[in-house]
Amino acid sequence: MSWMVEDREFSRENIVTNGNKYMTGNGYMGCRGTLEEFGKEQLTAITLAGVYDQAGGKWREPVNAPNPLFTRLRCNGERLGVLNAEPLSHRQELDISAAVHKRETVYSISGGELAFTAERFVSMDQLHVLAARFSLVATSDCRIELETGIDSEVWDINGPHLYGLQEHISEGVLLSTAVTGELGVQVAVSEMTVCAFEKQETAGVGAQRVIAFDAKAGEVYTWLKYVAVYTELDCSNPDVMAVRTVRAAEAAGYRQLLAAHREAWAERWERSDCLIEGDDAAQFALRFSIYQLLIIAPTESEKVSIPARGLSGQVYKGAVFWDTEMFMLPFFLHTAPGTARNLLMYRVRTLDGARRKAAEYGYLGAFYAWESQDTGDDACTLFNVNDVFTGRPMRTYFRDKQVHISADVVHGIWQYISFTGDDSLLADGGAEVIWECARFFYSYAYYSPVKQRYEILDVTGPDEYHERVNNNAYTNALVRRTLEVALECAELLQIVNPAQYHRLAVQFAEGPFLKEFREMLESFYVPQPDPDTLLIEQFDRYFRLEDVPLAELKTRVLNPNEYLGGGNGLAATTTILKQADVVLMLNLFKSSYSRAIKQANWEYYEPRTEHGSSLSPCIYALVAADIGSPDWGYPYFMRTATVDLTGESKQYVGDLYIGGTHPAANGGAWMAAVLGFAGVQFDGKTLRVKPALPEQWTAVELPLSLQGGSFRLRVSREEITVSAAAGNRDTLMVCAPGSTDQLCQPGAALTLRTAWAAAGDNDNAAAGE
């Protein structure tokens, strides 16, 4: 059961939710988990990574390809499908061990029953290929008609995006081509259907065919579908490549394609599966979260990253947010460093867009897009939400005031370099990104001659319910870290690539550079804990806001979809938060704060957090584990890990639909389990393990990729065991509470006894109790 997602009945109310829950994909494209007879009204979509289009003055968003899996069934002239014929039984399932989607539906027909089965997968072995296998069996003789092929009626939120549609059939291959309206990028989808029985075939509507045959009672009829998808971003002749690839897929056959696909998935799970002993529910939820990350990972391209809603559609404009670096990158750093590098090279490739945005607002350096697409220019508008009472657009300050995005990018780049030891990223553009972001903050910061310090004023932190605040604790802490990284980057680059350093130093000679960064750092302000309460104020004057209980605030809500932030939002003048910036900061810089400080702030901010973002709960789980209270954090872990299983997440902000999958929450679930409860910390040299397992967990076991080496870690309350692959080049220093540091040799296993303590205080914390 720990590998199978399953529904045993059909529910119209769950069509959209199941489209997310039963997603398949391979990083190149995502296929929503809709049924074969569904169309655009049920939000069927094949979403393409990195292909964007703007229709008129509407929001720019990713392009959905024509649907090549379309299949409708008639029996004795009567259409059979869950929307127009009540099934006798229905089962939909997704095997996440191999990303294979399957449905089985039984209908009542004249004289008996008909069972229809469809299985499909988006190939992880050949990223442009999809394949499906269909079968039906009836208990009485009947006449069957299949309408199948490519459905060019595409679901769009802000479309249409495809023009000049051309549909052909040649030697059994259907081909649908169109071009995007903005950039004229050709999208080509080809399809072949192969039947293992005698039939009559006629042309259908567009790129579709009608297959008719007489079905004998008790006989199973099987047919196969092969699909290829290409765009002009992949090659100069996507139509030719689509036809060529679909023919090659048909020649290989369904079994061979499926076997290669399963093998590719087995390799990915070998590098990423995290085993939880003692808690089947948590095990399943965590595996599902990992699955969601694997189906959207850009393993083969550094031109794309991971959008906030993955490849589940066009919500949030298919844009890349800060979520990627802060919530998803850690998973890939520990399991697939090559993919982690691709995610950061995307930021290098979009640096010019960040420079254009900084210049637009009159600043130096690089101000990264809040909603980033293919060029790095900001797709975020100034009016993101409509007032549910008036219908008028509301001015929001996401695009122009969430300056922490540039610091988040720097944090991700430096985390990768420190974690992997791959300093080549600096010469490949990483150093330039770091220094341009530091320049941006130098030009954005305000120096107060009265207070004799640099401050960051007029910003919006991750807690979007409070806009345009001064000295947001999270933002200021990340800006300080950006300045530190800028200086550390210079030292490292001078050692590993002096020629590149000198070239860039000349480029940065005009304007603020290392000297100015150092001066700013020496006088830079970051909010500190109050010596009496130990609390860190989220931003200036936050403690002076109305301190209303969350339950009471909710009684003031007049419309369930009203936005709590913005100029007139109910939370804006209160201490109620969308997510706790201070708790997030404490997690990122955990070694700088004592356990007492972390606990005081956890206990203060937790009842004041509305969790209006799916990013919020996992942070409370992480810090709860860090302070030795894993059972406080366990409900937040489960809430995070099940968000796409239950569909229990915020679907609207104002009247804006924000549904879809939640890859940042999926990454957060992994972080809570591995970095939180298992207590894994790696600084590039030493693996530190400080477990804080929830009550029902007896052990956690997982693979780790550290500094180019492969390891397996098992963590229980009594001991930790690290096993190193024989092919590893270097030894690994391992540290655990209650044990002396020891080296783990290549090909060996090291076991350390550890005293089970809920949490040990950090005596060396920079901020004392």
Side-chain angles (χ1 to χ4, degrees), residues 519-559:
E519 291 174 353
M520 180 176 169
L521 181 60
E522 290 171 354
S523 304
F524 188 72
Y525 170 67
V526 176
Q528 296 299 309
D530 180 274
D532 297 322
T533 65
L534 304 184
L535 297 180
I536 300 171
E537 192 170 28
Q538 180 168 294
F539 52 80
D540 292 354
R541 301 177 67 84
Y542 168 79
F543 288 145
R544 300 192 183 188
L545 298 175
E546 180 189 3
D547 194 20
V548 58
L550 178 59
E552 181 180 331
L553 182 80
K554 289 187 174 181
T555 66
R556 304 175 186 176
V557 173
L558 300 178
N559 184 305

Side-chain angles (χ1 to χ4, degrees), residues 325-535:
E325 282 77 16
M326 306 311 290
F327 293 87
M328 299 179 232
L329 182 64
F331 167 77
F332 294 108
L333 282 176
H334 288 78
T335 62
T339 300
R341 195 180 200 280
N342 286 346
L343 296 174
L344 297 168
M345 282 302 298
Y346 165 80
R347 295 298 192 182
V348 172
R349 288 178 171 272
T350 53
L351 175 59
D352 284 343
R355 285 173 170 145
R356 287 190 290 269
K357 181 180 175 182
E360 174 189 348
Y361 286 103
Y363 299 112
L364 302 174
F367 183 6
Y368 270 88
W370 186 243
E371 298 179 1
S372 183
Q373 297 179 338
D374 48 347
T375 65
D377 293 286
D378 208 329
C380 186
T381 63
L382 299 180
F383 297 86
N384 284 274
V385 181
N386 287 340
D387 188 302
V388 295
F389 303 108
T390 66
R392 294 173 179 171
M394 297 170 57
R395 176 66 159 99
T396 53
Y397 292 90
F398 308 153
R399 185 188 202 274
D400 43 355
K401 298 301 178 183
Q402 292 200 270
V403 299
H404 67 82
I405 177 62
S406 288
D408 301 328
V409 170
V410 170
H411 173 80
I413 290 175
W414 200 248
Q415 192 178 26
Y416 171 83
I417 293 168
S418 302
F419 196 94
T420 65
D422 176 18
D423 50 50
S424 69
L425 183 62
L426 293 178
D428 288 344
E432 202 166 352
V433 170
I434 290 169
W435 290 337
E436 288 285 39
C437 290
R439 274 183 138 171
F440 165 68
F441 288 121
Y442 183 84
S443 66
Y444 192 94
Y446 167 74
Y447 182 77
S448 170
V450 175
K451 300 175 183 177
Q452 295 188 328
R453 69 190 189 190
Y454 285 92
E455 301 178 321
I456 303 295
L457 308 181
D458 194 16
V459 300
T460 302
D463 167 30
E464 294 171 334
Y465 290 168
H466 298 90
E467 299 178 329
R468 307 196 71 172
V469 302
N470 294 335
N471 293 314
N472 173 268
Y474 172 86
T475 301
N476 284 31
L478 266 292
V479 171
R480 178 180 62 186
R481 186 60 189 139
T482 297
L483 296 171
E484 292 172 345
V485 167
L487 299 174
E488 294 170 19
C489 170
E491 294 178 4
L492 179 58
L493 193 58
Q494 286 183 76
I495 296 171
V496 301
N497 197 328
Q500 179 75 345
Y501 171 79
H502 290 300
R503 185 186 71 78
L504 289 174
V506 171
Q507 176 182 324
F508 280 81
E510 294 184 9
F513 193 35
L514 302 179
K515 175 177 176 292
E516 289 77 12
F517 300 161
R518 190 173 291 106
E519 291 174 353
M520 180 176 169
L521 181 60
E522 290 171 354
S523 304
F524 188 72
Y525 170 67
V526 176
Q528 296 299 309
D530 180 274
D532 297 322
T533 65
L534 304 184
L535 297 180

Side-chain angles (χ1 to χ4, degrees), residues 117-306:
T117 302
E119 175 186 273
R120 67 177 188 244
F121 62 92
V122 181
S123 176
M124 191 63 86
D125 177 62
Q126 299 185 47
L127 300 188
H128 297 274
V129 171
L130 300 87
R133 177 171 56 196
F134 303 83
S135 67
L136 65 79
V137 58
T139 59
S140 61
D141 292 353
C142 55
R143 179 70 174 175
I144 299 295
E145 289 185 349
L146 305 174
E147 302 171 34
T148 188
I150 305 172
D151 182 6
S152 298
E153 291 291 319
V154 175
W155 167 53
D156 288 318
I157 296 178
N158 293 288
H161 298 299
L162 297 177
Y163 299 86
L165 180 67
Q166 296 187 33
E167 298 172 317
H168 311 277
I169 182 167
S170 176
E171 298 180 358
V173 176
L174 298 175
L175 176 65
S176 175
T177 63
V179 296
T180 61
E182 180 189 5
L183 301 177
V185 175
Q186 187 184 69
V187 176
V189 179
S190 62
E191 184 261 16
M192 286 187 73
T193 293
V194 179
C195 300
F197 50 84
E198 293 186 3
K199 85 290 185 190
Q200 300 82 46
E201 182 173 325
T202 57
V205 177
Q208 297 177 22
R209 57 172 70 83
V210 177
I211 297 172
F213 60 95
D214 293 315
K216 301 296 183 182
E219 189 169 337
V220 178
Y221 295 84
T222 302
W223 65 100
L224 305 172
K225 183 184 283 276
Y226 304 96
V227 173
V229 181
Y230 280 85
T231 79
E232 216 164 350
L233 300 181
D234 305 316
C235 57
S236 59
N237 53 349
D239 51 347
V240 175
M241 284 301 299
V243 172
R244 184 181 303 167
T245 300
V246 83
R247 290 193 184 282
E250 188 272 337
Y254 187 85
R255 288 186 179 179
Q256 182 175 322
L257 293 175
L258 179 58
H261 169 74
R262 288 185 179 277
E263 183 177 349
W265 267 97
E267 293 172 357
R268 280 159 176 76
W269 280 114
E270 185 178 2
R271 296 195 302 264
S272 61
D273 189 23
C274 180
L275 305 178
I276 298 172
E277 296 181 9
D279 189 342
D280 291 343
Q283 174 71 88
F284 178 63
L286 180 58
R287 275 184 174 154
F288 185 75
S289 296
I290 294 172
Y291 168 82
Q292 289 288 345
L293 292 169
L294 294 176
I295 64 174
I296 56 178
T299 57
E300 301 296 326
S301 176
E302 58 185 35
K303 296 179 181 179
V304 299
S305 184
I306 300 178

Side-chain angles (χ1 to χ4, degrees), residues 75-123:
C75 178
N76 298 325
E78 179 183 355
R79 175 168 290 177
L80 298 183
V82 293
L83 295 177
N84 56 280
E86 187 71 26
L88 298 175
S89 66
H90 175 78
R91 185 174 71 184
Q92 184 175 8
E93 64 183 34
L94 174 64
D95 178 1
I96 61 174
S97 71
V100 176
H101 176 276
K102 188 175 182 180
R103 63 85 65 91
E104 296 178 358
T105 310
V106 178
Y107 301 100
S108 175
I109 63 172
S110 177
E113 299 176 357
L114 182 147
F116 173 62
T117 302
E119 175 186 273
R120 67 177 188 244
F121 62 92
V122 181
S123 176

